[in-house]
């Protein structure tokens, strides 16, 4: 492509192409312009060139974000800001550039939205820390993405990245206006970054790197912590230490224009067979897992058990999986083959089992058992079996003949259903 761009920003066309390919895999939701990927791809090269031209010349300005609401698990709405497809591509270009410059500065205990870091690593770190420390601060920051200070965010960007063009684009994204469902536009007023923006997780990590990670490392190095984006747990030796540290954190958050959610933040006792005190809070949730005392089997003697403070899939996520199984498949359709049901479910089953099967498989087995019961009910209808016993035989025969048809069969997450 023969092009002449007055370049003031060191961005190559290939970076825009790479960003397009990544962002396209991430979601289909359109921004306020209503442009779909199908529309964008009709003039793909031209559209990518326009984005590159504007980014490289410093003349790129983002559109407003489209505000949508989703329900949180407590039933309250969470507002997301959906940028246009073009803005998502542009954000990914700068996000990637920033990540290459600053990720090495981030704390080793920060696991969210980072290369070579994962939720699984964070869960394992919490599990290990809970063995060594008796108390946990289950920290919740009130409306974190809505209350990030633009001034402090830009100071953090400028501290780690010298290039002025990076700060320029970050500032423009922070200041993107919001358009609600009624079509009304409003300004951000110097606070907040939209959940839904491609660059928002990196900016959140950068903000909390200085707001909490570095502060804890400097002032409370004896306390291990695990952070995944704005989800954070801090481990303490005693209740008194946890109470004192929580007050210090409250003051620190205030100093960086954030607030503690005091209703959701808790001090939790990691009760097990060694820790026998009583405390009103003896469990907490982190990244879809519930941590609490559970009966565990001894490694040395399978006939013996003991109480351990361990992780297992949370009740909320069990309900979500059950609801998804109910809706992904049309269970009323007995014309479809069972292999078609497996095809619809297996990608999701693979994700659930490989993640939630990390620890405490008992509750996950119960969840998979609900799927087995749905399969049994469907089998009974399809083959017009009047007796449940015959439907069980039929489903068992199918499983024996095709043990890898369903991912939960392959991994042994099913019981023999009894009449």
């Amino acid at each position: 492509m023969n092009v002449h761009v007055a370049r003031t920003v060191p961005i190559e066309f290939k970076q825009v192409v790479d960003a397009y390919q990544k962002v396209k895999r991430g979601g289909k939701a359109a921004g306020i312009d209503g442009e779909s990927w199908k529309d964008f791809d009709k003039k793909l090269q031209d559209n990518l060139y326009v984005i590159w031209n504007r980014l490289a010349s410093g003349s790129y300005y983002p559109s407003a974000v489209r505000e949508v609401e989703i329900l949180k698990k407590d039933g309250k709405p969470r507002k997301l800001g959906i940028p246009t497809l073009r803005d998502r591509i542009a954000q990914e270009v700068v996000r990637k550039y920033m990540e290459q410059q600053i990720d090495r500065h981030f704390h080793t205990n920060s696991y969210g939205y980072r290369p070579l870091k994962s939720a699984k690593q964070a869960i394992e770190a919490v599990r290990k820390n809970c063995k060594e420390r008796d108390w946990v601060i289950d920290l919740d920051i009130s409306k974190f993405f809505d209350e990030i200070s633009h001034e402090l965010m830009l100071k953090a960007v400028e501290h780690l990245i010298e290039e002025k063009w990076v700060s320029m684009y970050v500032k423009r994204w922070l200041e993107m206006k919001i358009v609600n469902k009624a079509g009304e536009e409003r300004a951000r007023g110097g606070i907040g970054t939209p959940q839904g923006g491609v660059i928002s997780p990196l900016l959140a990590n950068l903000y909390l790197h200085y707001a909490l990670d570095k502060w804890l490392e400097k002032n409370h190095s004896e306390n291990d912590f695990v952070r995944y984006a704005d989800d954070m747990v801090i481990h303490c030796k005693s209740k008194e230490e946890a109470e004192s540290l929580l007050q210090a954190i409250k003051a620190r958050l205030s100093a960086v224009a954030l607030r503690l959610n005091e209703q959701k933040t808790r001090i939790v006792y990691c009760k097990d067979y060694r820790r026998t005190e009583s405390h009103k809070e003896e469990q907490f949730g982190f990244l879809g897992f519930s941590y609490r005392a559970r009966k565990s089997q001894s490694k040395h003697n399978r006939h013996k058990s003991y109480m351990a403070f361990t992780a297992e899939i949370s009740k909320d996520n069990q309900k979500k999986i059950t609801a998804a199984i109910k809706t992904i498949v049309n269970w009323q359709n007995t014309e479809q083959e069972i292999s078609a049901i497996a095809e619809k479910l297996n990608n999701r089953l693979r994700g659930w089992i490989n993640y939630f099967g990390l620890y405490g498989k008992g509750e996950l087995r119960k969840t998979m058992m609900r799927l087995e019961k749905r399969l049994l009910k469907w089998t009974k209808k399809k083959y017009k079996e009047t007796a449940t016993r015959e439907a069980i035989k039929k489903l068992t025969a199918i499983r024996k003949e095709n043990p890898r048809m369903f991912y939960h069969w392959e991994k042994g997450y099913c019981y023999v259903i009894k009449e």
Side-chain angles (χ1 to χ4, degrees):
M1 182 180 289
N2 268 330
V3 292
H4 299 282
V5 180
R7 292 181 57 187
T8 59
V9 175
I11 289 174
E12 302 292 339
F13 183 71
K14 184 179 183 302
Q15 291 172 264
V16 178
V17 174
D18 291 344
Y20 157 77
Q21 291 172 344
K22 180 171 182 179
V23 170
K24 189 176 179 180
R25 295 193 299 268
K28 297 179 180 179
I32 59 165
D33 60 359
E35 185 176 39
S36 67
W37 286 118
K38 186 177 179 181
D39 298 330
F40 186 87
D41 289 349
K42 287 176 182 176
K43 295 183 177 179
L44 179 59
Q45 287 293 106
D46 290 346
N47 289 332
L48 293 178
Y49 170 70
V50 168
I51 294 170
W52 173 59
N53 189 322
R54 291 176 181 171
L55 278 173
S57 64
S59 62
Y60 164 80
Y61 283 88
S63 304
V65 297
R66 179 172 65 88
E67 186 176 73
V68 297
E69 289 187 354
I70 61 170
L71 290 180
K72 297 188 289 185
K73 59 185 179 183
D74 60 5
K76 294 180 180 178
R78 169 180 286 159
K79 293 180 178 179
L80 303 181
I82 309 299
T84 65
L85 304 186
R86 294 163 190 261
D87 287 339
R88 298 214 288 273
I89 294 168
Q91 284 189 23
E92 173 57 23
V93 171
V94 180
R95 185 207 66 79
K96 185 68 175 177
Y97 181 87
M98 288 180 66
E99 181 181 81
Q100 292 168 346
Q101 303 295 313
I102 68 177
D103 185 77
R104 66 182 181 272
H105 296 286
F106 287 164
H107 201 285
T108 186
N109 293 347
S110 168
Y111 292 88
Y113 306 102
R114 296 184 59 194
L116 307 179
K117 292 279 192 175
S118 70
K120 290 182 180 181
Q121 292 173 336
I123 293 158
E124 174 62 12
V126 170
R127 189 186 69 83
K128 286 182 177 179
N129 290 342
C130 285
K131 281 186 175 181
E132 298 171 5
R133 304 291 175 92
D134 294 1
W135 296 84
V136 158
I137 299 173
D138 180 16
L139 191 70
D140 192 280
I141 301 171
S142 180
K143 298 180 179 179
F144 170 67
F145 283 90
D146 295 334
E147 297 190 358
I148 284 175
S149 162
H150 291 183
E151 180 185 358
L152 293 179
M153 175 63 79
L154 290 169
K155 281 184 179 179
V157 173
E158 290 163 6
H159 184 72
L160 288 183
I161 300 179
E162 292 181 358
E163 292 95 325
K164 298 296 182 185
W165 65 266
V166 174
S167 298
M168 174 184 73
Y169 281 138
V170 169
K171 185 173 187 291
R172 290 177 189 176
W173 282 315
L174 289 174
E175 293 175 349
M176 285 189 297
K177 292 184 178 179
I178 304 161
V179 177
N180 64 18
K181 286 192 290 185
E184 300 163 335
E185 189 176 273
R186 71 177 187 274
R188 290 199 168 273
I191 60 171
T193 181
Q195 276 186 277
V198 172
I199 203 167
S200 293
L202 178 64
L203 295 181
N205 270 339
L206 179 56
Y207 200 93
L208 288 174
H209 172 70
Y210 287 111
L212 283 174
D213 299 356
K214 292 290 287 183
W215 177 82
L216 282 166
E217 182 181 58
K218 181 180 178 181
N219 298 285
H220 301 276
S221 58
E222 70 279 6
N223 295 102
D224 289 322
F225 68 88
V226 177
R227 183 172 66 77
Y228 193 95
D230 61 329
D231 288 334
M232 191 171 195
V233 293
I234 305 162
H235 302 268
C236 303
K237 291 179 181 177
S238 68
K239 182 182 178 183
E240 292 73 25
E241 183 182 63
E243 289 172 341
S244 175
L245 178 54
L246 184 55
Q247 289 306 308
I249 289 171
K250 185 177 178 180
R252 173 59 182 173
L253 288 176
S254 179
V256 292
L258 296 174
R259 294 179 297 131
L260 194 69
N261 185 330
E262 300 201 36
Q263 289 184 325
K264 291 185 177 180
T265 296
R266 298 174 298 164
I267 293 174
V268 178
Y269 183 49
C270 303
K271 193 169 186 175
D272 62 12
Y273 73 98
R274 299 166 299 149
R275 303 155 174 163
T276 56
E277 296 177 34
S278 292
H279 185 65
K280 64 179 180 179
E281 300 288 357
E282 294 178 354
Q283 63 177 311
F284 67 93
F286 184 65
L287 298 182
F289 284 83
S290 172
Y291 291 75
R292 63 177 178 84
R294 290 184 176 87
K295 190 175 284 189
S296 296
Q297 194 178 70
S298 171
K299 290 182 180 179
H300 307 292
N301 187 339
R302 64 187 180 88
H303 299 295
K304 285 189 176 181
S305 61
Y306 64 100
M307 294 304 292
F309 193 84
T310 60
E312 198 159 34
I313 181 174
S314 68
K315 296 291 183 187
D316 284 338
N317 280 287
Q318 290 177 54
K319 290 176 182 176
K320 286 178 183 178
I321 291 174
T322 301
I325 288 168
K326 184 178 178 181
T327 55
I328 290 169
V329 175
N330 178 5
W331 294 99
Q332 301 304 313
N333 179 9
T334 55
E335 297 297 318
Q336 64 187 324
E337 296 299 322
I338 193 168
S339 57
I341 296 175
E343 191 175 335
K344 288 175 183 175
L345 286 173
N346 272 339
N347 280 342
R348 300 290 286 276
L349 289 171
R350 189 173 288 106
W352 293 327
I353 289 170
N354 289 343
Y355 184 70
F356 291 113
L358 285 171
Y359 307 107
K361 298 180 181 180
E363 291 301 316
L364 184 57
R365 286 184 188 278
K366 290 178 185 177
T367 307
M368 293 298 105
M369 190 62 183
R370 296 186 191 111
L371 169 56
E372 281 295 291
K373 288 179 178 177
R374 282 205 169 270
L375 283 170
L376 177 62
K377 190 175 179 182
W378 176 86
T379 302
K380 192 173 181 181
K381 284 182 180 179
K382 180 174 178 66
Y383 296 100
K384 299 179 175 61
E385 300 287 0
T386 54
T388 302
R389 184 186 299 110
E390 296 306 312
I392 291 172
K393 285 181 181 178
K394 183 69 179 177
L395 185 58
T396 302
I398 293 170
R399 188 165 64 238
K400 283 182 178 178
E401 189 176 343
N402 302 279
R404 301 179 68 179
M405 180 182 289
F406 286 89
Y407 191 72
H408 74 295
W409 289 359
E410 181 183 341
K411 294 298 179 181
Y413 278 87
C414 57
Y415 298 109
V416 176
I417 300 176
K418 296 180 180 179
E419 191 176 354

